[in-house]
Amino acid sequence: MKTILLGLLTLMFIVGSMSNVNSHEHPLRHLDCSECHTCDRPTAKEPCLIACPRIAAAHSTSKHSLKEAPDSMVLNTLENLYGPVAFNHKQHAEMSEMGFDCATCHHYSPAGEIPSCNECHPAEGISVNLSQPNLKGAYHRQCLGCHREWNHETKCIVCHEPERFTGAEDVVQDPTDILGISHPVITVPTKKVYDTPYDKGPKVTFYHNEHVDLFDLKCVDCHQEENCGYCHHLGKTTPVVKTMEEVHSICNDCHLEDKCSKCHGYEEKPPFTHDVSGWHLSKYHTDLECRNCHPTGKRISTMNGDCTNCHAGWNQSNFRHSVVGLQLDETHLEFECEDCHADLHYHQTPTCDNCHDDDHNYKKEPPGERL
Amino acid sequence: MDKSRRKFLSTAAAATATATMMATTGHTSDRLGHNPDEMFSVLVDSTACIGCRKCEYACNKTHELADHPPAYFEDQTQLQLGRRPQHDAFTVVNAYEDKGAKEGEAYVKVQCMHCNDPACVSACLVGALTKESHGPVMYDTWKCMGCRYCLVACPFQIPAYEYHDVLTPRVRKCTFCTERLHEGKKPACVEICPNEALVFGTRKEMLDIAYGRISANPQRYQDHVYGEYEIGGTSWLYLARADFQTAGLPLLDNQSPAEITENIQHGLFKSFLPPLALYGLLGLIMHTSGQREKSEESTDA
Ligand code: SF4
Ligand code: SF4
Ligand code: SF4
């Protein structure tokens, strides 16, 4: 009996709800019929609708009930919501120099020509691997990874042209957004003097120009992971302070074997001159890059002052002595190099002892004409 | 439509066909007679979600839900409100604390989980909710009698009711974009997701991908795919770095509540049998002994 009752009740409910649904099939009945129909008695068969555009009907859309909407419908214009992205590659490349280099974006690129993104990231399909999404995911993950970091935004029109007629233009472009504004030139310092808590040498003088120009370092060698987010982290009020360990680890890449006093002192240190090595660079050597003579590794290799470090093949017959500012006279031209330059140590004062007596003065009576 | 797209569509169509075939030829494994492996499924990788709310936008447009201007969907402060799906928003994205993320927070998209053995379906007295063999849990306005048992039964508090509509209120929830699926398309939210935080395919594929990601990046993920076993399994699966409960996904038993309640009901009905039999037996004895007395009386007379 209970079952029958329940069944009856249910049936009543169902019928009730069905009639309810039927009742709202035409919810616009409170509208003036003439807004949409030309005839007095429109029927389903002959609705006599006003031909498009139904200008009067346009304002009535707000009176539509949400319930009229189908549960599901196809809307495949989503792809066209936004226009293409005008991508300023150069600007990004310059900024990337401070990050991970070009590899910030062009990861896993083999040597030679850089493959385009879609060689690895197909436009469609199921992306199985998190690190190998499809093209759309790949672009967005790549860009948003940094963009979100510096502006905490995911607004599409930061990068995309809003397509016309989609309503996307409702979204106002944030005027404080840096996109489209070229980055102010980052001034490269010549010298920086740091005050440190180290009591045996509180001042550290750092010649930035020397490291870049002379020692041939790339930005990324020291400025690791310093990309846009490093400065543009929203809400960041104070600059990032590196720990002592972090600071030293950057310098230690090259200076690990140096004493503290190499950088630390009570006073500012003078810029680098080659004289500190005991070898004054003159004439032919001043224009050389450090690497030309000190080729090994990141760290500048030390060498003795002998010409044979580089000029191993020189001898009495092929060396034009006049280049050092002394044209040898005929007698001396005949001698072997080591007759005057003991043990081929050219940076030491030559000896005359081999032929002349002890009190012969090289300076007063040179072996030729000074130029 | 380009070539690869067409290829995807044909694959999807083939998958639907396979799913239907599997369901009808008896290659089934679950209580409802469906094969969860072959059902459509979405993997939500909350570690890849950027909280852009584009999925909310696409869902809103596809199903013509609440009338919001596009700018509403760009408003990131909405992420912080701990919203729930509504009658006019089938899906919402919420922020939750994730210490491992650069931002200190991660985002989770919430919608109907399309459970394998749904509590809402079981609770519905008139069969207005059904679990389709290809995955979606569908709602039929015409059958619904408005009892709202499904709202109470759903462990994820998903179904929403049009309380504002006195005459023809409906229960509303994510439809899995079932009409798009029939056309061989991905759900609208999956299609628009710019960061591919949502991946669409069969449930087996999604589980394989999920475990592939976990083993490739063990520090990025909890070693668990939420929805694989919870309440008997769900069609929508989740990956997260932080605790799933932090992400707002409830801690649930592996057994479907539908199964539990139905077992109890069936048990109850089953246990009516012995007393009935006993009464029947007693009745029979009384009846026969009565007959005997009667006949004895008649012989005596
Ligand atoms: S999540 Fe809730 S509404 Fe969706 S299928 Fe599961 S029980 Fe039903
Ligand atoms: S599957 Fe469809 S209905 Fe469900 S949340 Fe995504 S877009 Fe909305
Ligand atoms: S569209 Fe994708 S990335 Fe954006 S909020 Fe939704 S799930 Fe997250």
Side-chain angles (χ1 to χ4, degrees):
Chain A
M1 189 60 196
K2 258 187 192 160
T3 336
I4 298 170
L5 267 179
L6 184 71
L8 271 176
L9 269 174
T10 317
L11 203 68
M12 277 161 69
F13 267 125
I14 295 176
V15 173
S17 62
M18 269 163 70
S19 58
N20 277 348
V21 172
N22 282 334
S23 73
H24 79 200
E25 264 187 1
H26 201 261
L28 302 179
R29 58 194 177 283
H30 52 278
L31 290 176
D32 179 4
C33 305
S34 68
E35 280 193 20
C36 304
H37 304 279
T38 51
C39 51
D40 285 346
R41 285 171 192 277
T43 60
K45 251 189 182 171
E46 280 176 40
C48 56
L49 283 169
I50 296 172
C52 302
R54 288 170 214 138
I55 294 162
H59 73 266
S60 72
T61 47
S62 59
K63 294 177 199 157
H64 274 270
S65 152
L66 273 181
K67 291 191 303 301
E68 280 188 299
D71 263 8
S72 307
M73 61 167 283
V74 183
L75 201 103
N76 49 8
T77 49
L78 293 173
E79 299 97 316
N80 307 326
L81 192 59
Y82 294 100
V85 173
F87 180 69
N88 186 336
H89 186 273
K90 187 150 185 251
Q91 196 182 348
H92 283 85
E94 278 169 6
M95 286 296 122
S96 303
E97 278 228 285
M98 295 275 210
F100 301 92
D101 236 336
C102 304
T104 311
C105 301
H106 297 285
H107 50 205
Y108 313 126
S109 281
E113 203 169 303
I114 291 181
S116 66
C117 308
N118 63 9
E119 278 188 37
C120 306
H121 302 284
E124 264 293 0
I126 294 181
S127 61
V128 172
N129 192 332
L130 183 74
S131 58
Q132 208 174 335
N134 288 342
L135 194 59
K136 182 163 109 175
Y139 280 144
H140 285 101
R141 283 193 197 160
Q142 197 67 275
C143 303
L144 286 167
C146 299
H147 277 245
R148 277 174 77 220
E149 220 176 277
W150 57 255
N151 67 0
H152 287 224
E153 288 275 12
T154 49
K155 280 193 185 142
C156 309
I157 55 163
V158 169
C159 303
H160 287 273
E161 297 279 334
E163 200 79 332
R164 276 196 293 165
F165 307 123
T166 57
E169 60 269 23
D170 278 25
V171 186
V172 243
Q173 174 108 37
D174 182 355
T176 59
D177 214 302
I178 66 158
L179 203 96
I181 305 167
S182 37
H183 197 281
V185 179
I186 298 174
T187 45
V188 183
T190 311
K191 169 176 85 171
K192 288 204 135 186
V193 183
Y194 298 97
D195 288 313
T196 72
Y198 182 55
D199 50 8
K200 285 188 203 148
K203 281 209 181 324
V204 169
T205 324
F206 175 71
Y207 287 90
H208 191 276
N209 62 336
E210 288 172 1
H211 284 78
V212 177
D213 303 337
L214 291 179
F215 313 144
D216 210 16
L217 293 178
K218 291 207 191 93
C219 306
V220 72
D221 286 337
C222 302
H223 298 279
Q224 282 151 14
E225 293 187 39
E226 287 178 22
N227 43 28
C228 312
Y230 185 75
C231 298
H232 294 280
H233 210 288
L234 208 78
K236 192 166 71 180
T237 46
T238 45
V240 174
V241 182
K242 287 198 169 90
T243 62
M244 274 304 122
E245 220 179 358
E246 285 168 337
V247 172
H248 282 110
S249 82
I250 298 171
C251 304
N252 279 347
D253 258 6
C254 305
H255 292 288
L256 189 61
E257 289 153 35
D258 290 321
K259 293 200 183 90
C260 303
S261 61
K262 173 95 184 174
C263 308
H264 286 271
Y266 292 102
E267 299 295 331
E268 260 183 58
K269 290 191 184 277
F272 173 81
T273 67
H274 206 274
D275 296 356
V276 296
S277 69
W279 216 76
H280 176 75
L281 293 185
S282 60
K283 228 176 168 180
Y284 296 98
H285 292 105
T286 45
D287 289 342
L288 291 173
E289 301 277 337
C290 308
R291 299 275 159 206
N292 293 141
C293 308
H294 306 274
T296 46
K298 230 181 199 179
R299 195 185 150 78
I300 302 293
S301 52
T302 46
M303 9 177 49
N304 59 27
D306 293 344
C307 305
T308 46
N309 276 315
C310 303
H311 309 288
W314 279 349
N315 56 42
Q316 168 264 343
S317 61
N318 65 11
F319 182 68
R320 210 155 34 91
H321 205 280
S322 60
V323 299
V324 302
L326 182 82
Q327 175 67 60
L328 293 178
D329 56 31
E330 274 179 25
T331 328
H332 288 92
L333 260 179
E334 300 297 318
F335 296 148
E336 293 297 326
C337 304
E338 54 265 59
D339 288 345
C340 306
H341 299 287
D343 297 331
L344 298 177
H345 288 325
Y346 299 97
H347 59 296
Q348 288 166 6
T349 316
T351 172
C352 309
D353 296 359
N354 281 339
C355 309
H356 302 275
D357 52 26
D358 281 355
D359 53 3
H360 185 90
N361 190 315
Y362 157 79
K363 287 220 167 107
K364 273 186 192 155
E365 295 169 71
E369 190 193 339
R370 284 190 196 282
L371 301 171
Chain B
M1 198 192 287
D2 63 29
K3 213 164 121 208
S4 51
R5 171 122 193 106
R6 232 177 292 139
K7 197 172 138 218
F8 166 73
L9 296 186
S10 60
T11 326
T16 328
T18 327
T20 327
M21 206 184 67
M22 297 296 266
T24 47
T25 51
H27 289 270
T28 55
S29 58
D30 80 353
R31 215 172 61 88
L32 299 185
H34 300 144
N35 182 357
D37 278 357
E38 292 299 327
M39 281 177 188
F40 283 133
S41 164
V42 174
L43 175 66
V44 183
D45 188 336
S46 68
T47 70
C49 173
I50 51 169
C52 69
R53 301 183 60 214
K54 276 287 161 291
C55 46
E56 288 188 38
Y57 172 84
C59 183
N60 174 286
K61 287 282 167 258
T62 306
H63 301 284
E64 300 192 336
L65 303 176
D67 185 20
H68 290 302
Y72 165 77
F73 294 100
E74 305 262 342
D75 176 11
Q76 306 259 301
T77 59
Q78 294 284 331
L79 295 168
Q80 307 297 340
L81 305 180
R83 296 167 302 151
R84 299 293 310 162
Q86 300 287 329
H87 67 92
D88 59 358
F90 295 169
T91 184
V92 291
V93 182
N94 287 326
Y96 65 92
E97 192 184 2
D98 179 356
K99 293 203 183 79
K102 251 190 194 168
E103 309 273 317
E105 61 180 26
Y107 311 93
V108 65
K109 179 187 181 297
V110 187
Q111 74 299 304
C112 172
M113 302 287 281
H114 298 276
C115 310
N116 291 353
D117 192 352
C120 59
V121 169
S122 165
C124 186
L125 297 174
V126 293
L129 287 151
T130 41
K131 173 75 179 175
E132 306 284 323
S133 59
H134 65 293
V137 172
M138 294 306 298
Y139 167 73
D140 189 342
T141 321
W142 297 82
K143 285 187 187 161
C144 175
M145 60 179 188
C147 70
R148 283 157 285 151
Y149 281 5
C150 53
L151 273 69
V152 184
C154 172
F156 301 99
Q157 300 167 28
I158 295 300
Y161 195 62
E162 290 174 328
Y163 287 105
H164 63 278
D165 189 334
V166 188
L167 292 180
T168 57
R170 288 170 299 175
V171 169
R172 308 298 316 266
K173 68 165 199 70
C174 158
T175 65
F176 211 143
C177 284
T178 189
E179 295 192 356
R180 289 176 59 93
L181 299 191
H182 281 301
E183 288 170 17
K185 289 181 179 160
K186 298 178 191 179
C189 53
V190 176
E191 184 169 279
I192 204 168
C193 178
N195 233 33
E196 275 182 32
L198 311 173
V199 192
F200 171 74
T202 67
R203 194 165 183 273
K204 170 135 200 341
E205 284 171 330
M206 293 307 104
L207 282 169
D208 287 349
I209 291 174
Y211 280 112
R213 289 188 184 182
I214 291 174
S215 64
N217 297 286
Q219 58 317 329
R220 193 186 169 111
Y221 299 106
Q222 292 273 323
D223 188 12
H224 179 64
V225 181
Y226 188 92
E228 183 180 13
Y229 298 116
E230 275 77 5
I231 54 155
T234 56
S235 285
W236 283 58
L237 303 165
Y238 283 78
L239 284 177
R241 172 173 23 225
D243 197 37
F244 287 101
Q245 278 71 63
T246 322
L249 294 163
L251 186 64
L252 293 171
D253 208 67
N254 283 352
Q255 200 181 11
S256 157
E259 198 181 338
I260 301 170
T261 49
E262 282 175 30
N263 279 349
I264 295 173
Q265 281 172 6
H266 295 172
L268 271 178
F269 284 118
K270 249 185 240 159
S271 53
F272 276 143
L273 277 180
L276 274 182
L278 183 66
Y279 287 130
L281 189 70
L282 285 175
L284 194 72
I285 294 170
M286 275 169 71
H287 183 76
T288 44
S289 61
Q291 291 286 330
R292 206 179 301 143
E293 266 171 35
K294 257 186 200 163
S295 63
E296 271 167 20
E297 271 168 26
S298 59
T299 10
D300 287 353

